[in-house]
Amino acid sequence: IFQVLAFTGERAMSAGTEHITLAHATRICDGAVAACLSHGFAPVTVHVCNEHGEPIAFQRMDGCNGLLTPDVARCKAYTAVSLRMSSRAFREKYTTGNESAKYGQMLSMVSISGGNLAPFPGGIVVKSNSGVLIGGVGVSGAAGDEDEFCALQAVKEAGFGFFTEPAEHSLKLGQKRSREEQDAK
């Protein structure tokens, strides 16, 4: 048994990028804040979790609502890792087609999870360069499309070679829309 455990430990250490480290998560948080600032979005909270939904790093910008926004960011990241899809994809899966049964199922899933699933944009899946789910990023505080944009930019700009789902943002830069219009999309 000892030999098996030693081998497993060596393999895990050599994999290196098969999980998000604190250094990765901190750089992603910094990148999301930088993306927010450079585009003039409302202040955000960023939450990075591992593949089990456990928190690794968290940042809340000055001026960001501290009552609800941190929980929303956490739930967006948790949605991404627990369902293995972005929080936007979760919403789209259960609201496209105007089917009340699917919508009811989505609401039930949110309830069963204890309110930990968030069916709105801003939570993204992070995969290693070999395609393994390694974590999620949730951003909240700006409009939904802006939150998702900041999360995606942060992972891309961090330079670790991680893949995201979605791969691209849907924000139309240069066309400012109200928060209500963004969140409705």
Side-chain angles (χ1 to χ4, degrees), residues 15 33 90 92 110 139 144 182:
V33 169
F90 172 48
E92 298 298 320
V110 171
V139 177
Q182 290 277 338

Side-chain angles (χ1 to χ4, degrees), residues 164-177:
T164 61
E165 289 181 17
E168 298 292 328
H169 65 85
S170 62
L171 181 63
K172 295 186 179 7
L173 294 172
Q175 291 184 343
K176 276 290 199 185
R177 291 183 274 174

Side-chain angles (χ1 to χ4, degrees), residues 87-136:
S87 56
R88 175 190 300 276
F90 172 48
R91 181 194 63 195
E92 298 298 320
K93 181 176 180 176
Y94 293 96
T95 60
T96 303
N98 204 19
E99 298 176 41
S100 60
K102 285 173 66 176
Y103 184 75
Q105 181 180 356
M106 179 186 69
L107 294 178
S108 294
M109 290 171 72
V110 171
S111 177
I112 290 167
S113 74
N116 288 308
L117 296 178
F120 28 84
I124 65 166
V125 173
V126 180
K127 293 185 175 184
S128 69
N129 53 13
S130 63
V132 175
L133 173 72
I134 58 172

